[in-house]
C-alpha cells in the first residue's frame, strides 16, 4: 500500500460581472478581432467592489466540499495560491478558514503567480503523504483586475478574476492504476523577473503596483518550459504522453496551449480549454479548468490527467494525477 493524495471533489467561483471583448473595447483601445486572433479570449469575469480573492476562494471551497460530500470541519489543512491577497497579511487562507467556520486548521498562502496552484498542490501533497494531515483544501484564487494597468491594452485584455479549489484526502492506494497524485515537478528561474512582474511591493515602493509583461518573450519560454516539465512529471510517474487522457493547462493564451500540445504530439481534443471564457486567471486557471471539465462530464474517475502552469518568476510546474 502507498499513501497518495486523492482528489475527492472540485469547485470553482467566478465574479458576477462577465465582460465581453466588445464591452472591454468601450474602455480600452482594442477590438474583439484583435483579442481573439492573438489570444483566443472572448470573455472574462471581473470582481465587483464586494468580491475579493478571499470571498471567491471561499465560494470555490464550498463548491469543492459539496462535490466531495464532506463537511468543512473535517479539513485540517488549507493551502491557498494567490498573487493578489486580500491583505499584505494575514494570509487570505485564514480568511477562508473563518468564512468556512473551521475553528482550527493549518492555513497559509503560497505565492508563485500563475504556477501557484501547482506549487500549492505539491506542498499539500507532501504534508498529506507525511501523515501530518488527512484532508486539505487546495485553492487558487485571484483578483488580477486590481493590479492591471488599464491603459496598457497589450496586457489588460489578457486577464480575469476567479477561483478554483480541490479537496485532497490521504488514502492508502494500491493496484496497477491507483488514484491520486502520482508525481509533481516544479521549477523556478529568477533571472527572468523583468519579463513578467508587478512594479510595486511593500518593501520597495510601498504601493501595490501594476502588472508588466513582455508577452513575446514569455510566450517563447512558456512553450519550451511547459513541454519539458510535462515530460519530466510523466517520466517520474513511469508514464508516456500517449497514456494521458486529459491535459489541464494554465489558461494563458490559446496559442500557447496549441503550441505545447504540438510539442508533446498530443491531439488538441485532449487539452481542456477555458481561456475563451475566463481569460488568464493566474493561480485560479488550472483548478477552474479542472472543475469545468469535471462538471461537464469530460473528466471521469480513473482518467489520467496532467496539470501544468508557468508564471512570473519564472516559475513553472506540472502534476500527474489519476482522477
Amino acid at each position: 500500500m502507498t499513501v497518495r493524495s486523492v482528489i475527492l471533489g472540485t469547485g470553482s467561483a467566478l465574479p458576477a460581472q462577465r465582460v465581453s471583448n466588445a464591452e472591454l473595447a468601450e474602455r480600452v483601445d482594442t477590438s474583439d478581432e484583435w483579442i481573439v486572433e492573438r489570444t483566443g479570449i472572448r470573455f472574462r469575469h471581473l470582481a465587483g467592489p464586494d468580491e475579493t480573492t478571499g470571498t471567491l476562494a471561499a465560494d470555490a471551497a464550498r463548491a469543492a466540499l459539496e462535490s466531495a460530500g464532506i463537511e468543512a470541519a473535517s479539513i485540517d489543512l488549507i493551502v491557498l495560491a494567490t498573487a493578489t491577497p486580500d491583505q499584505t497579511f494575514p494570509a487570505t487562507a485564514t480568511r477562508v478558514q473563518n468564512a468556512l467556520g473551521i475553528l482550527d486548521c493549518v492555513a497559509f498562502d503560497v505565492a508563485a503567480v500563475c504556477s501557484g496552484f501547482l506549487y500549492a498542490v505539491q506542498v499539500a501533497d507532501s504534508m498529506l503523504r507525511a501523515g501530518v494531515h488527512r484532508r486539505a483544501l487546495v485553492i487558487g484564487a485571484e483578483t488580477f483586475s486590481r493590479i492591471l494597468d488599464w491603459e496598457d491594452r497589450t496586457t489588460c485584455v489578457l486577464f480575469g478574476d476567479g477561483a478554483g479549489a480541490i479537496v485532497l484526502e490521504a488514502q492508502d492506494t494500491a493496484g496497477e492504476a491507483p488514484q491520486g497524485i502520482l508525481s509533481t515537478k516544479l521549477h523556478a528561474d529568477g533571472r527572468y523577473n523583468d519579463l513578467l512582474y508587478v512594479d510595486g511591493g511593500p518593501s520597495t515602493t510601498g504601493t501595490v503596483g501594476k502588472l508588466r509583461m513582455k508577452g513575446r518573450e514569455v510566450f517563447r519560454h512558456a512553450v519550451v518550459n511547459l513541454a519539458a516539465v510535462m515530460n519530466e512529471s510523466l517520466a517520474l510517474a513511469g508514464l508516456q504522453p500517449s497514456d494521458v487522457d486529459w491535459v489541464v493547462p494554465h489558461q494563458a493564451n490559446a496559442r500557447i496551449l496549441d503550441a505545447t500540445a504540438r510539442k508533446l504530439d498530443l491531439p488538441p481534443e485532449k487539452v481542456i480549454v477555458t481561456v475563451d471564457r475566463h481569460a488568464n486567471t493566474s493561480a485560479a486557471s488550472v483548478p477552474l479548468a479542472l472543475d469545468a471539465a469535471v462538471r461537464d462530464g469530460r473528466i471521469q474517475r480513473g482518467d489520467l490527467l496532467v496539470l501544468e502552469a508557468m508564471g512570473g518568476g519564472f516559475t513553472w510546474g506540472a502534476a500527474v494525477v489519476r482522477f
Side-chain angles (χ1 to χ4, degrees):
M1 292 289 225
T2 300
V3 176
R4 287 190 172 89
S5 304
V6 175
I7 298 177
L8 297 185
T10 67
S12 59
L14 292 164
Q17 183 185 20
R18 183 174 185 248
V19 179
S20 69
N21 291 341
E23 291 171 310
L24 194 62
E26 296 176 2
R27 59 184 291 192
V28 178
D29 181 17
T30 189
S31 68
D32 176 67
E33 294 77 14
W34 190 91
I35 298 171
V36 172
E37 179 185 350
R38 287 163 177 78
T39 70
I41 297 167
R42 297 182 182 276
F43 298 93
R44 77 281 297 140
H45 289 253
L46 302 180
D50 297 328
E51 294 171 314
T52 70
T53 294
T55 64
L56 293 169
D59 287 343
R62 291 187 187 98
L65 290 166
E66 181 179 0
S67 169
I70 63 172
E71 297 295 324
S74 70
I75 296 295
D76 55 3
L77 173 65
I78 301 174
V79 186
L80 191 156
T82 188
T84 52
D86 285 7
Q87 300 167 285
T88 301
F89 74 86
T92 303
T94 62
R95 294 172 69 89
V96 174
Q97 174 198 3
N98 182 56
L100 297 177
I102 302 172
L103 297 180
D104 185 27
C105 74
V106 172
F108 58 92
D109 293 354
V110 169
V113 204
C114 300
S115 308
F117 183 74
L118 274 300
Y119 271 67
V121 164
Q122 179 165 304
V123 169
D125 177 49
S126 298
M127 296 174 77
L128 291 176
R129 287 188 294 107
V132 181
H133 301 280
R134 178 167 175 258
R135 282 181 176 167
L137 270 169
V138 183
I139 308 167
E142 302 281 16
T143 47
F144 253 52
S145 61
R146 310 282 204 240
I147 59 170
L148 297 178
D149 180 352
W150 290 98
E151 300 299 317
D152 180 3
R153 70 171 190 157
T154 62
T155 58
C156 70
V157 300
L158 304 177
F159 295 91
D161 303 330
I166 60 174
V167 176
L168 290 178
E169 181 180 75
Q171 294 184 5
D172 288 327
T173 60
E176 293 183 2
Q179 277 188 296
I181 297 172
L182 306 182
S183 69
T184 57
K185 183 65 177 178
L186 302 177
H187 292 278
D189 190 340
R191 293 176 297 171
Y192 299 104
N193 178 90
D194 292 345
L195 298 186
L196 179 54
Y197 67 103
V198 167
D199 60 1
S203 74
T204 53
T205 65
T207 64
V208 173
K210 300 295 183 184
L211 184 146
R212 308 298 176 195
M213 180 172 70
K214 297 178 181 177
R216 186 168 298 178
E217 290 88 340
V218 173
F219 180 97
R220 179 169 54 86
H221 285 279
V223 173
V224 173
N225 290 346
L226 290 174
V229 77
M230 288 171 68
N231 277 321
E232 286 178 301
S233 62
L234 285 166
L236 286 171
L239 298 166
Q240 304 291 329
S242 58
D243 297 316
V244 176
D245 293 302
W246 298 101
V247 176
V248 186
H250 170 48
Q251 306 289 317
N253 182 307
R255 292 192 296 174
I256 293 177
L257 303 186
D258 292 341
T260 305
R262 287 196 303 270
K263 207 166 184 64
L264 286 170
D265 198 26
L266 286 170
E269 58 268 20
K270 284 191 173 186
V271 180
I272 303 298
V273 178
T274 59
V275 68
D276 56 329
R277 291 176 276 165
H278 302 154
N280 182 346
T281 54
S282 187
S285 77
V286 171
L288 266 172
L290 175 62
D291 184 55
V294 169
R295 290 179 185 271
D296 68 22
R298 280 177 291 175
I299 292 178
Q300 299 286 324
R301 284 295 177 187
D303 284 352
L304 186 71
L305 318 177
V306 177
L307 318 181
E308 53 89 340
M310 177 177 148
F314 285 145
T315 60
W316 64 101
V320 178
V321 182
R322 182 81 62 186
F323 186 67

